[in-house]
Amino acid sequence: MSSVNPFANFVVIGERTNVTGSAKFRKLIEADDYAGALVVARQQVESGANVLDVNVDAAMIDGPAAMKRFLNLIASEPDIARIPLMIDSSKWEVIEAGLKCAQGKSVVNSISMKEGEEAFLLHARKVRRYGAASVVMAFDEQGQADTAKRKIEICTRAYRLLVDSDFPPEDIIFDPNIFAVATGIEEHADYAKAFFDATAYIRSELPHAHVSGGVSNVSFSFRGNEPVREAMHAVFLYHAIRAGMDMGIVNAGSLTLYDDVEPELRERVEDVLLNRRDDATERLLEIAERAKAGGKKRGDERDLSWRLQPVKERLTHALVHGINEFIVADTEEARLQAERPLHVIEGPLMDGMGVVGDLFGAGKMFLPQVVKSARVMKQAVAHLIPYMDEEKERLGLVGRSNGKIVMATVKGDVHDIGKNIVGVVLQCNGYEIEDMGVMVPCDRILERAKEIGADAIGLSGLITPSLDEMVFVASEMERLGLNLPLLIGGATTSRTHTAVKIAPVYSGPILYVPDASKAVPVVQKLLGADRDKLVADTRAEYDSAREAYFASQDKRPRLPLAKARDRAPKLAFAPVKPSFLGVRSFADYPLEELVPFIDWTPFFASWDLIGRYPAILEDDIVGEAARTLYRDARAMLEQLVAEKWVKASGVVGFWAANRDGDDVVLFADDTRSEEIARLHTLRQQIDKGEGKTNFALADYIAPSGVKDYVGAFAVTAGLGEEDVAIRFKRANDDYSAILAQALCDRLAEAFAEALHAKVRRELWGYAKDEALSEDDMIAEKYRGIRPAPGYPAQPDHTEKSTIFDLLEARERTGIDLTESMAMTPPSSVSGLYFAHPQAEYFGTGKIDRDQVADYARRKGWDLATAERWLSPILAYDPVRAKAV
């Protein structure tokens, strides 16, 4: 059985948006720099935080106002708002201000019995009324609990009071107090062990309750010595998680694994935390400075000593390290020693992949390494297949499988990198994967599942219309009585969408799988003895999530559309006329000119390696995997460009334009006498407060009477991409196939960046003197924006159709649109150009029915069509609204 990643189900609560824990964040809030504060929040999300702890308690900060403003700003940033908030304050008025404007289910930090039971239950009832969960401190009328006995006593008393008051036990998160150890004070020596003991009791005796805590407190006596502090956090978490701690406030970007701590340092930290020796603190101090000054040594010398080991160990080494140089020879040697060729797979190869699975599950290997391991495995199996086919034909024998899973990117969607990675990881763990590819209609998916006797179906999608197609597939499975487990994944999918939209239409098992690291444990349980419990627990979880979602829908303050329009920005206009009006093509664009514009950070994210480039290359946890992946990517990129594996093609156009309400009218020429198209935009309806602005993209175009202009583009670096991927897959090299697709995706984005620079400096020429580096351009430090349909500023994918018609994009570039408005080839980018100096990106956020009806009228749609295309941003449930 695979070991479990200690952080796999651990909820990481990001601590850097807390003024008491981050001086940088405090200074930003005090300086009224909320844009900078949002950057800190975004960094926590990018670093892997599952919940964002927000605390604005400081002497010079108006707590309620700051909390309300910051949370409202977060709500308009989809990349931050996708994770729950922990509203953290010692003042109830600050907590309540946050609860009033937090979307979805939030967590209050905290309530306690320090003012007695009556005040405690009053706060608990208010928390419940807002649909939130709550941290409950181990703090009563006598003070904070410091011993295991006191922690258990207070938490048990609080639990009974809450449960007897109908507070859901699953919404109780106990914080049994993490205090500093190694302080030199004898009474503090047992603090960590007391936390572990209390945690174990809570998880055992107080059903459904959770345990959290501020982990950095434990190392406070070593502030200034980050290596020791990180080691203490790693060891503390190792023991706390084993005791039952399932969430914690940590710096999401600096989690170290227990096994990665230097052994001597780990032992001495453990002595302190478990209070195993009287001299534990002195012994840790002895090596603290050495740990602070120490560093890892790296060597480039190739070690082939593993080649001297028996063939079984050599195969395991090759699989773990992704080395395919000797795999055919070693596999043949193993075959000659085995009774049957199948025994090589079921023996040393599966044993080796078991080690890979253990390391991946324990967080000691990462996706790029696992995919490399799969490549080695496939090449070994490919060598054995002819021998097994001959044997099967002769004896009628079959092999062992953990289960069959049909996987497909749903109809209308062409994105499959994530699906491919999940498929490879599952294959590594003995599952047969029937990958049906992209744009697969519902009937074909279900027919194939029945044909092969599938044990589960996995659906993937990246664009928002794919969410509706997943709902349709689930409803068809229900109609046909196909009671198979349904796995949901992809960039736009979420636990909430699965619970609210998909689960109600399908009575069979349905599970949301956020990434490849979760796929194996979920499928193992789903197809194993734990299935019934997993399905029941998940169904209950989805019921709660759905209830919380609908309970939160009417709490977001939004404006009527007319009032939101009244708050449009009042901008001055001095338009620059482009160097031409009409369309210009850029066929077979030189790939080498795109390479400097590549943004590598999203490349690593596509492999589940989270961190900013180039810092990720030196990351303590994923740095080694990132460096290897980057080295492979640069080598392939050099070959891809030199040998022209793919072609890049683009088109750009400019038109005379003026604003008409929330629409942008495009004209045939500068006489503006003939309207040729109309771009429709959506306006923010969130109530940001008096004096604040509610944006729509149309605001950046001048009204009639001023000669203004708008641009559009479509680019691809994917012409030939599919052939490249197929070539690698036929060679049993999924790693290179996925790597090539990821590079084409980056080149397409680089093309968009390079062409935008050309537009600003030459083709439109509104920034002729711009002198920005490639890094500055990636950081978007230029004038103007290039928003794309389907993204936060214009969530309606159908606007791509207008852009494509204007640009003649299909004929000029080879890019096409599916019926769900996905671009194919998938390594393609399209969008609009706005040149106004104050133009900036924004998120539309949730919109009300009045705007949806208005948008439908402007588009010539019925209301149901508008609601279908805009479903991800609706602030209401169309079914419920229709019933009212």
Side-chain angles (χ1 to χ4, degrees):
M1 178 177 287
S2 299
S3 61
V4 177
N5 182 343
F7 302 132
N9 296 309
F10 182 77
V11 176
V12 175
I13 304 170
E15 68 176 357
R16 308 312 289 174
T17 46
N18 183 322
V19 297
T20 62
S22 170
K24 177 182 178 181
F25 183 72
R26 175 176 53 78
K27 290 173 183 175
L28 290 168
I29 297 294
E30 288 177 341
D32 208 36
D33 184 359
Y34 283 82
L38 285 174
V39 171
V40 175
R42 187 174 288 105
Q43 288 170 346
Q44 287 290 279
V45 176
E46 290 172 349
S47 296
N50 308 117
V51 176
L52 202 61
D53 181 79
V54 179
N55 183 303
V56 291
D57 287 355
M60 302 305 294
I61 296 174
D62 179 347
M67 181 66 79
K68 180 179 178 182
R69 182 177 175 188
F70 189 54
L71 296 197
N72 280 336
L73 287 170
I74 283 176
S76 65
E77 298 289 337
D79 53 339
I80 305 173
R82 64 186 175 86
I83 68 170
L85 298 172
M86 177 174 278
I87 302 168
D88 186 350
S89 179
S90 58
K91 303 171 185 175
W92 180 254
E93 62 269 23
V94 177
I95 288 175
E96 194 155 26
L99 286 171
K100 287 178 180 178
C101 58
Q103 62 179 353
K105 183 159 189 164
S106 52
V107 181
V108 168
N109 189 8
S110 60
I111 61 175
S112 74
M113 296 187 292
K114 65 181 178 181
E115 297 175 6
E117 293 182 1
E118 186 176 344
F120 173 64
L121 291 174
L122 175 64
H123 288 159
R125 284 192 291 272
K126 288 184 177 181
V127 170
R128 178 62 177 149
R129 192 180 310 134
Y130 285 107
S134 185
V135 173
V136 178
M137 298 295 297
F139 199 144
D140 66 2
E141 302 88 341
Q142 299 173 40
Q144 285 183 288
D146 53 359
T147 65
K149 181 180 178 183
R150 280 268 294 148
K151 294 175 194 285
I152 291 169
E153 176 186 296
I154 293 173
C155 291
T156 302
R157 177 183 163 207
Y159 181 86
R160 300 299 175 211
L161 286 169
L162 290 172
V163 172
D164 289 346
S165 301
D166 294 326
F167 196 96
E170 64 271 18
D171 285 347
I172 301 172
I173 305 166
F174 283 112
D175 183 341
N177 303 327
I178 300 175
F179 295 130
V181 294
T183 62
I185 300 172
E186 186 177 345
E187 290 78 7
H188 298 177
D190 220 28
Y191 277 170
K193 188 173 182 301
F195 181 91
F196 302 148
D197 292 344
T199 296
Y201 179 89
I202 290 167
R203 295 308 301 274
S204 170
E205 303 301 324
L206 306 180
H208 307 295
H210 305 279
V211 174
S212 180
V215 176
S216 61
N217 293 348
V218 77
S219 66
F220 190 71
S221 56
F222 285 91
R223 58 192 182 280
N225 190 331
E226 286 308 307
V228 171
R229 294 198 74 176
E230 289 178 8
M232 293 181 74
H233 300 162
V235 177
F236 181 90
L237 281 170
Y238 175 79
H239 289 283
I241 290 170
R242 290 182 72 185
M245 183 182 185
D246 52 356
M247 58 185 73
I249 301 175
V250 297
N251 182 352
S254 64
L255 284 176
T256 302
L257 292 174
Y258 176 82
D259 286 347
D260 289 341
V261 179
E262 191 277 323
E264 184 182 15
L265 176 59
R266 184 173 65 218
E267 180 187 2
R268 298 198 181 194
V269 167
E270 218 152 32
D271 286 341
V272 167
L273 295 178
L274 300 178
N275 196 17
R276 295 192 300 205
R277 302 172 56 120
D278 293 338
D279 60 349
T281 298
E282 289 75 14
R283 281 165 46 80
L284 180 55
L285 287 169
E286 285 173 8
I287 65 168
E289 283 307 310
R290 189 170 80 227
K292 184 177 181 180
K296 296 180 181 177
K297 296 180 181 178
R298 297 180 191 147
D300 296 324
E301 188 177 339
R302 194 176 183 204
D303 180 10
L304 291 176
S305 59
W306 64 279
R307 300 298 305 154
L308 303 175
Q309 296 177 342
V311 67
K312 183 179 185 298
E313 283 71 24
R314 295 203 304 272
L315 288 170
T316 296
H317 184 95
L319 289 164
V320 169
H321 294 89
I323 301 170
N324 62 353
E325 184 178 351
F326 311 99
I327 192 63
V328 172
D330 287 347
T331 303
E332 177 61 12
E333 183 180 335
R335 184 187 74 83
L336 294 173
Q337 294 178 10
E339 182 181 344
R340 297 172 54 202
L342 182 64
H343 292 170
V344 180
I345 296 176
E346 294 186 338
L349 288 176
M350 287 306 294
D351 289 345
M353 290 310 295
V355 174
V356 171
D358 289 345
L359 292 172
F360 182 55
K364 298 174 186 176
M365 282 182 74
F366 301 93
L367 272 177
Q369 296 160 313
V370 173
V371 175
K372 271 190 170 182
S373 299
R375 174 176 63 179
V376 176
M377 179 70 169
K378 281 195 169 186
Q379 289 171 349
V381 171
H383 175 73
L384 295 169
I385 282 176
Y387 300 101
M388 291 192 295
D389 287 346
E390 184 276 329
E391 184 186 59
K392 285 179 184 178
E393 189 175 333
R394 182 163 40 88
L395 302 174
L397 300 171
V398 294
R400 184 184 70 193
S401 168
N402 287 333
K404 297 177 182 177
I405 303 173
V406 168
M407 297 182 66
T409 299
V410 295
K411 184 179 74 170
D413 203 324
V414 296
H415 299 86
D416 66 348
I417 292 179
K419 169 179 67 67
N420 292 345
I421 291 175
V422 170
V424 168
V425 172
L426 287 170
Q427 284 176 321
C428 291
N429 286 268
Y431 296 95
E432 291 182 51
I433 303 300
E434 177 77 10
D435 189 342
M436 299 187 67
V438 300
M439 295 181 62
V440 188
C442 172
D443 56 346
R444 280 186 52 211
I445 296 172
L446 304 187
E447 283 171 14
R448 189 60 181 153
K450 287 188 279 189
E451 282 173 10
I452 69 169
D455 298 293
I457 294 174
L459 301 180
S460 176
L462 183 138
I463 60 173
T464 49
S466 299
L467 302 176
D468 292 330
E469 183 64 18
M470 291 178 182
V471 175
F472 176 68
V473 174
S475 64
E476 283 296 282
M477 291 175 69
E478 180 73 11
R479 184 179 68 82
L480 297 170
L482 195 63
N483 191 35
L484 287 177
L486 181 60
L487 307 174
I488 301 294
T492 56
T493 61
S494 67
R495 170 180 169 273
T496 299
H497 179 269
T498 304
V500 174
K501 299 290 187 180
I502 305 179
V505 304
Y506 184 52
S507 59
I510 181 166
L511 289 102
Y512 165 60
V513 184
D515 55 55
S517 65
K518 304 293 192 300
V520 173
V522 165
V523 172
Q524 284 175 338
K525 289 181 180 178
L526 197 56
L527 302 184
D530 296 331
R531 170 174 170 156
D532 291 344
K533 183 178 186 305
L534 175 66
V535 170
D537 290 349
T538 304
R539 186 63 70 172
E541 178 189 325
Y542 287 169
D543 289 344
S544 297
R546 193 159 51 249
E547 181 183 333
Y549 172 81
F550 287 123
S552 70
Q553 287 306 286
D554 293 326
K555 293 177 184 175
R556 298 285 298 121
R558 283 177 299 278
L559 300 169
L561 179 58
K563 191 166 184 180
R565 285 173 172 163
D566 289 341
R567 293 188 181 178
K570 307 299 186 285
L571 303 177
F573 292 90
V576 174
K577 184 175 180 179
S579 64
F580 68 92
L581 295 181
V583 177
R584 184 174 296 179
S585 299
F586 294 86
D588 204 4
Y589 201 90
L591 295 173
E592 61 271 16
E593 293 184 19
L594 303 181
V595 173
F597 291 89
I598 290 178
D599 180 1
W600 287 99
T601 297
F603 169 80
F604 290 106
S606 71
W607 292 86
D608 279 6
L609 298 178
I610 305 302
R612 289 191 175 275
Y613 172 84
I616 191 173
L617 301 178
E618 302 302 322
D619 186 89
D620 289 342
I621 298 175
V622 302
E624 184 178 350
R627 286 192 297 274
T628 302
L629 177 62
Y630 183 63
R631 188 164 55 245
D632 292 346
R634 293 298 307 209
M636 179 179 283
L637 181 62
E638 184 177 337
Q639 190 177 4
L640 182 153
V641 170
E643 299 176 5
K644 293 183 167 52
W645 289 0
V646 296
K647 286 177 62 176
S649 182
V651 60
V652 63
F654 304 109
W655 298 270
N658 284 115
R659 180 175 78 242
D660 178 14
D662 287 347
D663 292 342
V664 178
V665 180
L666 279 63
F667 301 97
D669 54 42
D670 223 359
T671 65
R672 300 173 191 252
S673 58
E674 180 188 351
E675 177 179 331
I676 58 170
R678 187 171 284 252
L679 300 170
H680 304 89
T681 74
L682 291 157
R683 185 168 298 281
Q684 294 175 323
Q685 284 191 268
I686 184 174
D687 186 354
K688 305 177 188 179
E690 289 296 333
K692 301 300 180 183
T693 304
N694 288 67
F695 291 99
L697 286 174
D699 297 333
Y700 300 131
I701 300 296
S704 180
V706 179
K707 288 191 171 184
D708 207 348
Y709 307 88
V710 73
F713 71 96
V715 297
T716 183
L719 300 175
E721 168 190 351
E722 186 177 358
D723 292 337
V724 172
I726 289 172
R727 188 174 78 237
F728 281 121
K729 287 180 179 178
R730 283 175 177 165
N732 297 300
D733 191 352
D734 282 323
Y735 175 72
S736 294
I738 295 169
L739 189 60
Q741 289 177 305
L743 286 173
C744 288
D745 183 64
R746 288 297 89 213
L747 283 170
E749 294 288 351
F751 195 175
E753 196 70 73
L755 191 57
H756 196 187
K758 195 175 187 70
V759 165
R760 296 191 304 272
R761 299 167 186 175
E762 303 171 30
L763 303 179
W764 196 331
Y766 61 79
K768 291 182 178 179
D769 298 328
E770 177 183 282
L772 298 174
S773 68
E774 285 85 359
D775 288 342
D776 286 338
M777 282 185 272
I778 290 171
E780 298 172 354
K781 294 182 180 179
Y782 43 71
R783 169 182 163 179
I785 57 174
R786 57 169 195 275
Y791 283 79
Q794 171 44 292
D796 177 15
H797 282 271
T798 68
E799 287 293 295
K800 287 180 199 161
S801 183
T802 304
I803 292 173
F804 269 55
D805 290 343
L806 286 164
L807 292 169
E808 301 168 359
R810 297 168 181 84
E811 300 82 1
R812 290 174 177 267
T813 66
I815 310 172
D816 204 352
L817 293 172
T818 71
E819 59 191 278
S820 295
M821 296 294 151
M823 288 176 287
T824 178
S827 295
S828 303
V829 184
S830 65
L832 298 169
Y833 291 132
F834 292 87
H836 196 283
Q838 290 175 261
E840 60 183 39
Y841 295 103
F842 60 87
T844 302
K846 299 288 185 181
I847 61 174
D848 273 332
R849 199 177 190 189
D850 59 345
Q851 180 163 194
V852 177
D854 179 81
Y855 192 74
R857 177 186 56 77
R858 286 152 49 205
K859 293 275 285 190
W861 288 344
D862 58 34
L863 183 63
T865 301
E867 288 174 335
R868 178 167 65 86
W869 282 105
L870 299 177
S871 61
I873 62 165
L874 299 182
Y876 63 95
D877 178 17
V879 176
R880 292 188 176 197
K882 191 179 295 185
V884 173

